[in-house]
């Protein structure tokens, strides 16, 4: 019996287990998944919680419900991966699990402890995050009675999960405070380490214009070094300062500590792999999928979905000694909620930046690329249903895994 071990049963790990349990011969393969928690979080839903659009019940479900029968689930933190010896130690009972093939899908998490001042006595008083369920719920409570002032969203550094989420937060905040009748008493500021609202030029221009129209000010090239929680100030490495009344931080995102303990990661605990196949250049039986991988595309559930589709096809060939003939192209596809019942869609890959145009989608589309529309907003809300019922179960979406140029306008 060959042993496939998957570390992490989040978005990527769950999809890998579902896809491979259908394609691998179950008489020949034993699939085991390890995760530290028994609850699965729909993280894109955290964005909506501070504004009362979603509640906790919308974003949590038991992990076991999404794994196929016959796949073993072990609930324990992973203490260390010994890739040289093809084994992993569990923290719970110090047990060693041996494997023939390993898929690391331990994701990325926020690390507010890495920025001085962030997690001191003002954490979850005047400083919040929305990248965790606890943070999003605490912020929702705070916003219910907030009387207004200077709200600053700060990204500590990149890469972060879902790089458009901070922009979406600000645009939803603009809508929310209008609804509350206090928009004229709220200043919205985006302090970002980037030189513009987004990384790539066309999207940066279009999103920057949208923020300007909504009265959201961008403070670019702001590399925060520390926070002074008493003076309510962010202080950058170049001594530039940004004052706030309410700080919504997107702290440094890092891979799990088990990656560092196992000597597998880069400075941020992300694991270097081939960007087309996800195979480790060091270990021929170790793949890394999802946010845990150090590849130059967005850390997003949509990317994990497309990547897993390519990987699953390759894996069944690879274990038979054949060549991996699908080359993942970095395809990312994200709805960008822009408030007032509208949203944008961006679709890009390693080589092609987000372009304007019309995204063909059978039955529902076309969706507007880099342009606001109501149908994109409904697409974003529908995504939650698709996540639980289609995406996690490793079923096909009516979207190609590799990016298509259909409907994209090049000269804009
Ligand atoms: C606020 C927010 C908004 C987002 N919006 C979008 C969006 O609109 N669209 C989109 O596509 N993506 C979005 N994302 C990103 C998306 O949620 C992630 O990219 C996706 O969940 C990554 O999947 P993953 O499997 O790599 O990691 P995860 O889903 O985070 O799973 C990692 C798993 O590994 C487990 N684990 C980690 N370390 C250990 C250990 N040592 N031992 C045992 N288990 C361990 C964790 O418990 C977890 O279950 C958003 C994320 C956030 C936070």
């Amino acid at each position: 019996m060959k042993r496939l071990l998957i570390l992490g049963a989040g978005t990527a790990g769950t999809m890998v287990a579902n896809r491979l349990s259908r394609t691998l011969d179950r008489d020949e393969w034993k699939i085991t998944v390890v995760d530290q928690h028994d609850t699965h979080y729909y993280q894109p839903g955290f964005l909506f919680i501070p504004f009362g659009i979603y509640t906790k019940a919308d974003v949590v479900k038991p992990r076991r419900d999404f794994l196929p029968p016959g796949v073993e689930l072990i609930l324990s933190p992973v203490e260390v991966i010994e890739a040289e010896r093809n084994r992993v130690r569990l923290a719970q009972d110090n047990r060693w699990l041996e494997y023939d093939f390993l898929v690391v899908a331990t994701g990325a998490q926020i690390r507010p402890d890495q920025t001085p001042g962030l997690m001191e006595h003002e954490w979850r008083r005047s400083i919040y995050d929305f990248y965790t369920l606890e943070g999003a719920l605490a912020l929702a409570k705070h916003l219910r009675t907030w009387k207004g002032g200077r709200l600053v969203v700060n990204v500590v550094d990149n890469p972060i999960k879902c790089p458009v989420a901070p922009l979406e937060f600000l645009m939803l905040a603009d809508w929310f405070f209008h609804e509350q009748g206090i928009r004229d008493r709220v200043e919205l500021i985006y302090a970002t380490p980037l030189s513009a609202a987004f990384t790539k030029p066309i999207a940066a221009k279009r999103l920057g214009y949208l923020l300007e129209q909504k009265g959201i000010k961008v403070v670019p090239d702001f590399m925060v070094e520390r926070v002074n929680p008493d003076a309510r100030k962010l202080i950058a490495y170049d001594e530039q300062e940004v004052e706030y009344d309410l700080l919504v931080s997107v702290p440094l995102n890092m891979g799990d500590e088990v990656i560092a303990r196992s000597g597998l990661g880069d400075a941020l605990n992300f694991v270097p792999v081939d960007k087309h196949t996800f195979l480790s250049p060091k270990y021929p039986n170790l793949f890394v999928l999802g946010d845990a991988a150090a590849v130059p595309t967005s850390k997003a559930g949509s990317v994990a979905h497309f990547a897993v589709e390519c990987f699953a096809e390759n894996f069944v060939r690879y274990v038979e000694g054949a060549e991996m003939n699908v080359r993942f192209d970095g395809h990312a596809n994200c709805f960008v909620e822009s408030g007032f019942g509208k949203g944008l869609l961006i679709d890009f890959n390693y080589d092609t930046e987000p372009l304007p145009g019309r995204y063909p989608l059978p039955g529902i589309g076309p969706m507007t690329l880099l342009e606001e529309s109501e149908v994109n907003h409904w697409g974003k809300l529908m995504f939650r249903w698709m996540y639980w019922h289609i995406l996690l179960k490793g079923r096909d979406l009516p979207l190609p895994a590799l990016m298509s140029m259909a409907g994209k306008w090049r000269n804009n």
Side-chain angles (χ1 to χ4, degrees), residues 93-235:
D93 50 8
N94 277 328
R95 181 162 45 121
W96 288 99
L97 294 180
E98 300 196 336
Y99 59 80
D100 297 296
F101 289 90
L102 181 70
V103 171
V104 177
T106 43
Q109 26 175 284
I110 59 159
R111 293 292 299 270
D113 58 304
Q114 299 287 312
T115 303
L118 209 50
M119 263 188 105
E120 290 173 9
H121 47 283
E122 283 296 309
W123 181 244
R124 304 220 167 128
R125 287 170 184 265
S126 59
I127 305 176
Y128 290 85
D129 80 281
F130 67 98
Y131 267 52
T132 57
L133 178 60
E134 298 70 31
L137 289 169
L139 184 52
K141 198 169 166 206
H142 190 83
L143 288 182
R144 280 204 286 273
T145 53
W146 195 52
K147 300 275 182 287
R150 201 165 215 255
L151 190 161
V152 175
V153 173
N154 173 239
V155 172
V156 169
D157 206 351
N158 288 299
I160 58 169
K161 298 195 247 198
C162 191
V164 289
L167 300 175
E168 295 181 280
F169 182 92
L170 281 156
M171 293 191 281
L172 278 174
D174 170 57
W175 160 80
F176 177 79
F177 294 125
H178 266 109
E179 292 284 300
Q180 304 281 304
I182 60 165
R183 180 62 181 95
D184 55 341
R185 281 188 264 146
V186 178
E187 237 186 303
L188 292 172
I189 316 261
Y190 183 41
T192 167
L194 297 175
S195 299
F198 196 67
T199 36
K200 303 290 182 193
I202 297 174
K205 198 167 149 203
R206 292 204 168 210
L207 289 166
Y209 179 63
L210 203 54
L211 294 183
E212 200 183 309
Q213 278 183 322
K214 292 175 184 293
I216 299 165
K217 188 181 160 207
V218 179
V219 180
D221 302 312
F222 189 86
M223 285 294 302
V224 69
E225 190 251 318
R226 63 189 190 279
V227 178
N228 183 333
D230 297 316
R232 298 197 173 176
K233 270 183 197 171
L234 290 156
I235 302 137

Side-chain angles (χ1 to χ4, degrees), residues 7-13 34-37 43-44 46-47 63 76-78 105-109 130-131 161-162 165 168 256 258 261 289-292 299-304 333-335 380 383 387:
L7 304 183
T11 311
V34 183
D35 202 290
Q36 57 202 344
H37 304 301
Q43 298 176 48
F46 295 172
L47 169 73
R63 218 177 266 298
S76 165
V78 176
T106 43
Q109 26 175 284
F130 67 98
Y131 267 52
K161 298 195 247 198
C162 191
E168 295 181 280
D256 194 81
V258 69
R261 284 195 298 272
L289 270 301
D291 294 349
K299 296 201 178 296
S302 66
V303 174
N333 179 289
C334 298
F335 287 108
K380 178 102 185 174
F383 190 71
Y387 182 84

